[in-house]
Amino acid sequence: MAKLNVEIVTPERRLAQHSAADEVIAPGAEGLFGLRPGHTPYLALMQPGTLTVREGTALSVYFVSGGFVEAGPAAVRVLADSAELASSVDVAAARARILEAEGRLKALEVTDPKAEEQRLIIHRERRRIETGALK
């Protein structure tokens, strides 16, 4: 049976390389989507969330903060803004970042462009905590 070559990279480094993956499930801008061997060429925007690579019954779980997924029949390249293994997620630090962002948000007007930045931080850190809970 055909397999996928999966590469997960960030601007700083290559985080992971899977040469025999059966499926990738990624957090797309419109929700989760899956990729399997033989998929038509595809480019998708990712939102912060959980990225899962399945090799047989083994799962490798990552948090991605956003980016792109480029897929073809035999390969998937994840171009993440940042990424980390779910087992590496520091839930306490993520909760602290949420509290800090909520504090800054309270001091801003709703229409202030900086308010949207704080809301995005809160959203990203909540997705990081959800991924960290999957350890």
Side-chain angles (χ1 to χ4, degrees):
M1 184 174 169
K3 300 289 184 176
L4 287 171
N5 183 37
V6 179
E7 182 179 30
I8 303 169
V9 296
T10 69
E12 292 82 30
R13 66 187 174 115
R14 180 190 304 176
L15 177 64
Q17 178 84 36
H18 300 270
S19 59
D22 296 299
E23 182 178 39
V24 175
I25 300 171
E30 299 297 322
L32 293 175
F33 65 93
L35 303 161
R36 292 186 177 162
H39 201 286
T40 58
Y42 187 68
L43 180 64
L45 182 65
M46 286 190 304
Q47 69 174 338
T50 303
L51 176 87
T52 305
V53 178
R54 183 176 61 82
E55 295 177 270
T57 59
L59 298 178
S60 297
V61 181
Y62 304 88
F63 169 76
V64 293
S65 63
F68 296 91
V69 175
E70 176 185 23
V76 174
R77 180 175 291 129
V78 176
L79 305 167
D81 298 334
S82 68
E84 61 188 298
L85 280 165
S87 60
S88 298
V89 169
D90 185 342
V91 173
R95 285 190 178 122
R97 287 189 290 271
I98 289 172
L99 290 174
E100 290 170 8
E102 287 173 341
R104 289 188 296 266
L105 186 59
K106 286 179 185 174
L108 298 170
E109 294 292 326
V110 175
T111 58
D112 188 325
K114 293 179 182 178
E116 181 59 22
E117 181 181 319
Q118 299 310 308
R119 285 189 286 274
L120 290 172
I121 290 170
I122 292 166
H123 174 74
R124 182 186 65 232
E125 296 307 321
R126 286 181 177 159
R127 299 298 81 77
R128 186 186 310 269
I129 290 168
E130 287 173 3
T131 300
L134 300 173
K135 297 178 191 179

